[in-house]
Amino acid sequence: MKKRIILLGSTGSIGTNTLKVVQNLHDEFEVAALACGSNWKLLLEQAKEFKPLAVGLSSEQAREEFTQAFKAQPWEPVPNIYSGAEGLTQMTRDVEAEYVLGAISGSAGLPAILGGLETGKDIALANKEALVMAGSIFMRKAEELNRRILPVDSEHSAIFQSLQAGNPSEVERIILTASGGPFRQTPLAEMETITPEQALKHPTWDMGAKITIDSATLMNKALEVIEARWLFDLPPEQISVVVHPQSIIHSFVEFIDGSTICQLGPPDMKIPIQYALTFPERRHLPDTEISLAKIGSLTFEEPDLKRFPSLRMAYECLKVGGTASTVFNAANEVAVPEFLSGNIPFLGIFKLIEDVLSAHQLIESPTLEQLFEVDTWAREQARENIMS
Ligand code: NDP
Ligand code: MG
């Protein structure tokens, strides 16, 4: 029997790459459900091609448009249509599948992923914000329910692959690589005037808008440090970051005997997506060769924490624990669209996050409900700060 996948965020960059992987492995995998926010036109095309049992749209209006278009040109089997944030979670619970691939952008993806875990599915996780928001509860739940969390994020996939070379107790530290983004060498004085257009041009990866801005602020790496802390159950002291502008080595694991293992590959998300789904096996993936001789040299440098305080803040959040990372992520989720709309400057992103973190009253061992409340509070606080 084919393995079934519920794909959350199918219309995005990871979502469309996942569908290419499924196409490539169509004898082995099939799509059980697809979900997006509002891009009903693309969802309709995808559903027509992959014939899932269910589709979900978080926007009610998009659901209406999708339904009308489906009625005009229906196909069999008729998919169940779910809508709204709760509808997406319900869909993930109702549909039978082996995997949920979480590729919604932002912590909005968390409830549906938890619904998938609770109904016995393994999670292939791209949606790092979900783990940053609720890491300890998320991982505890996965352990209690004996479900796997398979990393899709390229750095975490590289670490996951490199970890196969030893035992967890033999790990000295993990080293995440960062491209450094488009402003790796931009002097601080020029960073104040960075425009959204400049920030949306990533030097090595082609991704959705939110993560592209996160890469420009190094917030993406900051979120990934927190993601790694939970995925691999390592304290922050054993997680470090090195800037590697070529994005060929996707991360390293240093073992206690001085051996360091890493994974290399072209910057193509189909590789980690496919590995998450076929683990512990590998399958052929076309057009993925790299020529090291052509690349010539691979370089490394320390991240600049003065120009990019995001990384420093991530380590501080991990040190403080509790609800700090939830606030860190939520404030950033407000800051990014505000920067893209021209309402705050580039460096205003860091200031906003820092200000919301300082105004926060930490809860040390939050419940899931409290995490959602804190997430809402941090978003409101961030919006208030921007207005004032
Ligand atoms: P995109 O912006 O390209 O896509 C986001 C997807 O999520 C779309 O399908 C979008 O639907 C959907 N979506 C957004 N908000 C909601 C919502 N509230 N409810 C339901 N669906 C929603 O993002 P990416 O694919 O780039 O990133 C997705 C996740 O993967 C992020 O967490 C990112 O950090 C992570 N990731 C991405 C990488 C990449 O290379 N792109 C690499 C590593 C991790 P619609 O189209 O209708 O808006
Ligand atoms: Mg990454």
Side-chain angles (χ1 to χ4, degrees), residues 136-137 140 320-323 362-368 370-371:
S136 75
I137 291 179
R140 207 182 315 137
V320 177
T323 43
L362 190 87
I363 306 173
E364 274 178 30
S365 301
T367 61
L368 188 59
Q370 285 173 317
L371 286 179

Coordinates of all heavy atoms in Angstrom, one line a residue, residues 136-137 140 320-323 362-368 370-371:
S136 N 8.8 22.3 23.9 CA 8.8 21.3 24.9 C 7.5 20.5 24.9 O 7.5 19.2 24.9 CB 9.1 21.9 26.3 OG 7.9 22.5 26.8
I137 N 6.4 21.1 24.7 CA 5.1 20.4 24.7 C 5.0 19.5 23.4 O 4.6 18.4 23.5 CB 3.9 21.4 24.8 CG1 3.9 22.1 26.2 CG2 2.6 20.8 24.5 CD1 2.9 23.1 26.4
R140 N 7.3 16.5 23.8 CA 6.8 15.6 24.8 C 5.6 14.8 24.3 O 5.6 13.6 24.4 CB 6.4 16.4 26.1 CG 6.4 15.6 27.3 CD 6.0 16.4 28.6 NE 6.5 17.7 28.6 CZ 5.8 18.8 28.9 NH1 4.5 18.7 29.2 NH2 6.3 20.0 29.0
V320 N 16.6 31.6 29.2 CA 15.5 31.9 30.0 C 14.5 30.8 30.0 O 13.8 30.5 31.1 CB 14.9 33.3 29.6 CG1 13.7 33.7 30.4 CG2 16.0 34.4 29.6
G321 N 14.2 30.2 28.9 CA 13.2 29.1 28.8 C 11.8 29.6 28.8 O 11.5 30.8 28.5
G322 N 10.9 28.7 29.3 CA 9.5 29.0 29.4 C 8.9 29.6 28.1 O 9.1 29.1 27.1
T323 N 8.2 30.8 28.3 CA 7.5 31.4 27.1 C 8.3 32.3 26.3 O 7.8 32.9 25.4 CB 6.3 32.1 27.7 OG1 6.7 32.9 28.8 CG2 5.1 31.2 28.0
L362 N 7.5 36.4 32.1 CA 7.8 35.0 31.7 C 6.9 34.0 32.5 O 6.7 34.2 33.7 CB 9.3 34.7 32.0 CG 9.8 33.4 31.5 CD1 10.2 33.5 30.0 CD2 10.9 32.9 32.3
I363 N 6.4 33.0 31.8 CA 5.8 31.9 32.5 C 6.8 30.7 32.3 O 7.2 30.3 31.2 CB 4.5 31.5 31.9 CG1 3.5 32.7 31.9 CG2 3.8 30.3 32.6 CD1 2.2 32.5 31.1
E364 N 7.2 30.1 33.4 CA 8.3 29.1 33.3 C 7.9 27.8 32.7 O 8.6 27.2 31.9 CB 9.0 28.9 34.7 CG 10.1 30.0 34.9 CD 10.7 29.8 36.3 OE1 10.8 28.7 36.8 OE2 11.1 30.9 36.8
S365 N 6.8 27.3 33.2 CA 6.3 26.0 32.6 C 4.9 26.1 32.1 O 3.9 25.7 32.7 CB 6.3 24.9 33.7 OG 7.6 24.8 34.3
P366 N 4.8 26.7 30.9 CA 3.4 27.0 30.4 C 2.7 25.8 29.9 O 3.3 24.8 29.5 CB 3.7 28.0 29.2 CG 5.1 27.6 28.8 CD 5.8 27.2 30.0
T367 N 1.4 25.9 30.0 CA 0.5 24.9 29.4 C 0.4 25.3 27.9 O 0.7 26.4 27.5 CB -0.9 24.8 30.0 OG1 -1.5 26.1 29.8 CG2 -0.8 24.5 31.5
L368 N -0.2 24.4 27.1 CA -0.4 24.7 25.7 C -1.3 26.0 25.5 O -1.1 26.9 24.7 CB -1.0 23.5 24.9 CG -1.0 23.7 23.4 CD1 0.3 23.9 22.8 CD2 -1.7 22.4 22.8
Q370 N -1.7 28.4 27.7 CA -0.9 29.6 28.0 C 0.0 30.0 26.9 O 0.2 31.2 26.6 CB -0.1 29.4 29.3 CG -1.0 29.4 30.5 CD -0.2 29.0 31.8 OE1 0.6 28.0 31.8 NE2 -0.4 29.7 32.9
L371 N 0.5 29.0 26.2 CA 1.4 29.4 25.0 C 0.6 30.1 24.0 O 1.1 31.1 23.4 CB 2.0 28.1 24.4 CG 3.2 27.5 25.2 CD1 3.7 26.2 24.5 CD2 4.3 28.5 25.4

